[in-house]
Amino acid sequence: TYVATYKVSALVSVRVALKRMLNFNVPHVKNSTGEPVWKVLIYDRFGQDIISPLLSVKELRDMGITLHLLLHSDRDPIPDVPAVYFVMPTEENIDRMCQDLRNQLYESYYLNFISAISRSKLEDIANAALAASAVTQVAKVFDQYLNFITLEDDMFVLCNQNKELVSYRAINRPDITDTEMETVMDTIVDSLFCFFVTLGAVPIIRCSRGTAAEMVAVKLDKKLRENLRDARNSLFTGDTLGAGQFSFQRPLLVLVDRNIDLATPLHHTWTYQALVHDVLDFHLNRVNLEETSGVENSPAGARPKRKNKKSYDLTPVDKFWQKHKGSPFPEVAESVQQELESYRAQEDEVKRLKSIMGLEGEDEGAISMLSDNTAKLTSAVSSLPELLEKKRLIDLHTNVATAVLEHIKARKLDVYFEYEEKIMSKTTLDKSLLDIISDPDAGTPEDKMRLFLIYYISTQQAPSEADLEQYKKALTDAGCNLNPLQYIKQWKAFTKMASAPASYGSTTTKSMGLLSRVMNTGSQFVMEGVKNLVLKQQNLPVTRILDNLMEMKSNPETDDYRYFDPKMLRGGNYIEYQNLVDYIKGKQGKHILYGCSELFNATQFIKQLSQLGQK
Ligand SMILES: *[C@@H]1O[C@H](CO)[C@@H](O)[C@H](O)[C@H]1NC(C)=O
Ligand SMILES: *[C@@H]1O[C@H](CO)[C@@H](O)[C@H](O)[C@H]1NC(C)=O
């Protein structure tokens, strides 16, 4: 996990860089009619992952991109149109680009590399261009330094395509070789380097000792130093994106190893975005839902429910999402309901005006009233697109929140969340762990395993062998695979020697009376039986580490952190991200960007733990 404190928006910097690239790397190319020039965009899966969460198809069209195609797909020649490429500088990609040159697919070629291309590969392209007599058509070659994916204004993830390569499992495998470890570190460092080139600032780096984070820090420090020393080719000259006006400010990069806190990524959560990531299929800002629509009657007779696939983009331009992604779930349900009611009121107003107009239009005497209503109707009609967009967002969030609510109810996720919070904050438990594990109505086997692992990670005193056997039996009876526990046992024995386990502060939830609005009949959300839990802000381990370092507080947890100044790392999750966002709200003039080498949900993380625990 990478936490950088800095004043610029990652999202804005990357969008600016992408738009400039799609404009042939000059600001605003327009043809004589003032329209953007038509062009095709050719990308690989890496490029697609970087662009798709940031630019919509409409925005691409507005920039003149009529067609976007994968590099390794069958593409027909379009000889009178320029092509913008956005790909990784891999051997396979370069070969394919050379083939395009030979086949004279496009009018001209703007070649953009996600990460810096090597001298020798550049020569390969030059030779191919020569052989195809296409030298003049290869308009330009650019290194874009965009090898990371921006998901939010203040959140990024390193990569998606080869995420197994940099996963928690990859780094913690007992049989990883030195060469493999080097490759992992180089991959991470390349992305982080790109991130700071795009921000246009050289960070001060802090990290814990003796961890993978330290290896990354050493390598990143070296790479930044080498680039700064090469004054002629330095990427940090001050005129890079976004940095100019803030160049007196240096970002602080805190690199943290996932092993400092294994409980948070397993924790059940209660805020909207983190819940969507936990229980639904949410990936690169897009959520895929399977909606079951009732019984279908076909000529062949009644068929069972049919699954209807839907996907929605949850992006920073969605105002409801922006406002509520960090809110506790009951508040989200209430807000959707409120939005719906205010939409209906607006809709009724339009209808009312229309009907009055219809009636009064026949009444010659009511001219003045008519013109008054005409003005109102005109304004209502002109806000129609806005109203329709509002309706679209309400429907979207109704569907998404309903899908989340189904999981909460079916698995009693409120109970899990509240109980785990108590375990992590060492509050007295009102119910025995065994009771929850053996309750057939509470949670999936995976929910039970997550709960037990959190308990096992958070207790100072490991349970006795006899107790452990009893838990194991209950877990097995509930259908759990015990491999993750096997790994956590070894991990705990090891970290006990290395350092104290992470602590999580005191009580964090409070049960409130039920929200009347949500409980109203006629509400979209039937919340009956679900606890109305509210959150109290508590700093998670990552937030606490950042707070110590940023505020220069002395604390045994961070006092021996290493310090690099060439002029912190681990797997991430939305729970930690939200905790940092909440923390920084109280700090005037400070900004946080959260990043991670991989962004996993608990299911994916527990799968890795299970693989690590296999004998
Ligand atoms: C300018 O671009 C628009 C849209 O791409 C196109 O319709 C128009 O013909 C172009 N005009 C010239 C003079 O190239
Ligand atoms: C977890 O993430 C994976 C990969 O994005 C996804 O397929 C899955 O639906 C997600 N959620 C759950 C609950 O498994």
Side-chain angles (χ1 to χ4, degrees), residues 19 26 72 77-78 109 117-118 210 335 381 385 428 435 463 522 542 570 595:
K19 287 191 168 176
V26 290
H72 295 280
I78 316 178
Y109 305 82
I117 182 174
S118 71
S335 304
V381 167
T428 335
D435 283 353
V542 171
R570 25 173 274 199

Side-chain angles (χ1 to χ4, degrees), residues 356 360 366-374:
I356 290 176
E360 285 169 356
I367 300 289
S368 76
M369 249 186 100
L370 179 64
S371 68
D372 184 35
N373 279 324
T374 306

